Amino acid sequence: MDQLKLRVSYGIAGVAAGKQGTSSVTTVAVYPGSLVYSGNEAFNTIAARGNNTLTWEKSRTLNIGADVAFFGHKLSGSIEFYNKFSYDVLANTTVPVISQGETSMLLNNAEILNRGIEFTIGSDLPVAGNLIWSGMLNYSYNHNELKKFGYTGPYMPVGPAYVVGHPIGSVGVLKAVGYTPEGYVLLEGKDGTQEIIMDYNSSHSMDYVIPREGESFNDSNWAYYLGTLTPTSSLSFSNQFSWKGLTLSFMITGQFGYYVNTTSSDSFSPASRNSAAYSKRLDKALEVYDEGYANQTSYSELPLYTDSNVDAFRSGETYLATIGAAMYFKSGFVKGDHIRLNEVFLGYDLPENLLAKQGVFSRVNIYAQASNLGLIWSANGKMDPDYPLGSLKPMPVFTFGLRLGFKSW
């Protein structure tokens, strides 16, 4: 061991409460005159209601880390644990209606916890003979949790929501379990009951939870907590191998611990027949139809019009309620965990003994480079989570080049 350093730090930091639309004093907006409303006289309106109780958003952060090096610094790394507690965070907060006629205001009334670990290890090692390997591995994990949120009014538990005890960016989903013989979608609640989607009420996509009445996310029978739409951990791994003027390098990255929504409200609607997602979803819908709705043991895709359901679907509400709820079906979310090959580089420098025989070039380097190479592994096994169906995925790029250095005269 060549080096061992232990690090501990603790600090309190603050950010001034100056977000857009937030001020400690009431501000006004000036509008030019209008012949109809003000007789061409300029007039003012309230732009933002002042709040003299605003204070800084603050955070307490504890860091504990270590730096190490081995074998003449040929192998080195660091590890760090952090715990960051943010408080007095500005958030939309429920207030009595007598507060200047408002029912909610931005106040210093939220708390957020971020806790995680970061790990780095690097190498500069001779492998065999003239072969040298240089690499750097970085990994980080973050646990995020909303500890306090002042808004106590109604909110929809399906879709993204700020829920105390859950990460910011978490999502609630509905559980579609199959179809009726006529092709209506069946939902299943946490208590095992099933309900047919016929209108907005039975779709449960617009149910509300009201915290000020003692309700929480868990009180919703139809909304299931899925996870977060933001990666909880990330990885990067860079490598370079050198041997007698030949250089090979590549970069691998990865993200883990999150979900991706593969559907949208318009990817299977008649107005979006030109989208890439529409044709794929229509193919799946036809496949389910051919197999028969009564023979399905799970939900696969939005149903098609049939003789049995066409009257209800054409009425509008059944169709709109079903397609709106489908945005939040659990089957529409897939794991986003993946590992990606970002770049590969191969280069060769002519040996110095060859360059010494001429008097023009000090360096001659030939190289080839490839980027946007795509996935090595994906947890969902279906799609690239960075480019859901219907989005434009960048094509691989290949570059070939020659670098010349000239000797000074």
Side-chain angles (χ1 to χ4, degrees):
M1 180 180 290
D2 303 294
Q3 175 181 285
L4 175 61
K5 293 181 179 180
L6 300 179
R7 297 177 281 106
V8 179
S9 65
Y10 178 82
I12 298 177
V15 178
K19 293 185 178 180
Q20 183 177 5
T22 306
S23 176
S24 60
V25 296
T26 297
T27 57
V28 297
V30 180
Y31 290 89
S34 166
L35 178 63
V36 176
Y37 297 107
S38 63
N40 282 333
E41 293 290 333
F43 62 94
N44 301 334
T45 63
I46 295 177
R49 297 186 182 275
N51 179 7
N52 58 12
T53 68
L54 292 178
T55 183
W56 289 42
E57 296 179 307
K58 310 175 186 71
S59 62
R60 299 193 298 262
T61 305
L62 170 67
N63 290 78
I64 303 174
D67 302 315
V68 294
F70 302 92
F71 313 120
H73 289 270
K74 291 183 176 64
L75 189 65
S76 60
S78 65
I79 186 170
E80 183 166 342
F81 166 82
Y82 62 89
N83 190 93
K84 181 179 180 180
F85 179 72
S86 302
Y87 57 102
D88 286 340
V89 177
L90 287 172
N92 199 29
T93 304
T94 303
V95 296
V97 72
I98 60 174
S99 301
Q100 301 180 358
E102 302 287 342
T103 58
S104 64
M105 298 177 65
L106 277 175
L107 300 175
N108 299 99
N109 203 14
E111 297 175 355
I112 303 169
L113 174 67
N114 281 281
R115 178 182 295 156
I117 189 169
E118 297 179 356
F119 172 81
T120 301
I121 185 168
S123 68
D124 190 7
L125 295 172
V127 179
N130 295 319
L131 180 60
I132 298 176
W133 170 49
S134 299
M136 182 69 70
L137 173 68
N138 295 281
Y139 176 79
S140 63
Y141 169 80
N142 179 69
H143 169 75
N144 171 274
E145 183 179 342
L146 182 63
K147 305 295 288 186
K148 178 184 176 183
F149 190 59
Y151 182 73
T152 61
Y155 71 90
M156 293 189 298
V158 296
Y162 294 108
V163 180
V164 174
H166 290 174
I168 294 177
S170 62
V171 63
V173 295
L174 299 168
K175 186 178 179 181
V177 294
Y179 310 84
T180 67
E182 298 80 17
Y184 299 111
V185 178
L186 284 169
L187 291 182
E188 184 173 278
K190 297 173 185 175
D191 60 0
T193 59
Q194 294 186 351
E195 190 164 349
I196 304 170
I197 297 181
M198 297 296 297
D199 51 29
Y200 289 113
N201 288 332
S202 56
S203 75
H204 297 286
S205 61
M206 301 182 69
D207 288 356
Y208 286 93
V209 170
I210 308 177
R212 65 168 169 258
E213 296 182 2
E215 297 178 348
S216 68
F217 180 92
N218 294 330
D219 291 320
S220 171
N221 182 51
W222 302 96
Y224 295 77
Y225 173 67
L226 178 68
T228 176
L229 301 179
T230 304
T232 59
S233 61
S234 61
L235 167 77
S236 68
F237 188 27
S238 61
N239 291 270
Q240 178 174 299
F241 295 90
S242 302
W243 180 75
K244 294 184 177 180
L246 188 66
T247 301
L248 172 65
S249 64
F250 59 91
M251 168 71 78
I252 295 174
T253 60
Q255 293 182 317
F256 312 94
Y258 73 113
Y259 287 85
V260 175
N261 189 355
T262 64
T263 63
S264 67
S265 61
D266 62 354
S267 61
F268 190 55
S269 66
S272 302
R273 293 191 180 112
N274 293 327
S275 70
Y278 182 88
S279 60
K280 293 289 186 181
R281 297 189 64 185
L282 180 59
D283 287 343
K284 185 62 179 178
L286 289 167
E287 179 184 328
V288 174
Y289 173 78
D290 290 339
E291 294 174 353
Y293 293 115
N295 299 322
Q296 302 297 314
T297 58
S298 63
Y299 171 83
S300 299
E301 187 50 84
L302 288 168
L304 300 173
Y305 290 174
T306 68
D307 291 340
S308 301
N309 65 30
V310 64
D311 291 336
F313 278 165
R314 279 184 174 171
S315 67
E317 185 173 358
T318 300
Y319 169 78
L320 293 175
T322 304
I323 203 170
M327 294 173 57
Y328 310 114
F329 287 170
K330 184 178 180 181
S331 57
F333 292 81
V334 298
K335 282 186 172 293
D337 303 29
H338 69 276
I339 299 175
R340 184 184 306 279
L341 179 60
N342 289 64
E343 184 178 274
V344 176
F345 175 88
L346 179 64
Y348 179 69
D349 282 283
L350 289 183
E352 292 184 3
N353 58 350
L354 293 180
L355 295 175
K357 297 178 180 180
Q358 50 79 49
V360 179
F361 301 111
S362 61
R363 183 193 184 193
V364 176
N365 173 259
I366 304 171
Y367 69 91
Q369 185 176 6
S371 56
N372 298 333
L373 295 177
L375 295 177
I376 299 175
W377 170 82
S378 175
N380 63 73
K382 300 177 182 179
M383 52 164 275
D384 189 327
D386 287 345
Y387 305 100
L389 184 64
S391 61
L392 185 61
K393 184 177 180 179
M395 298 290 290
V397 177
F398 300 94
T399 305
F400 302 90
L402 174 66
R403 294 189 183 98
L404 299 175
F406 295 90
K407 291 182 178 180
S408 57
W409 295 90

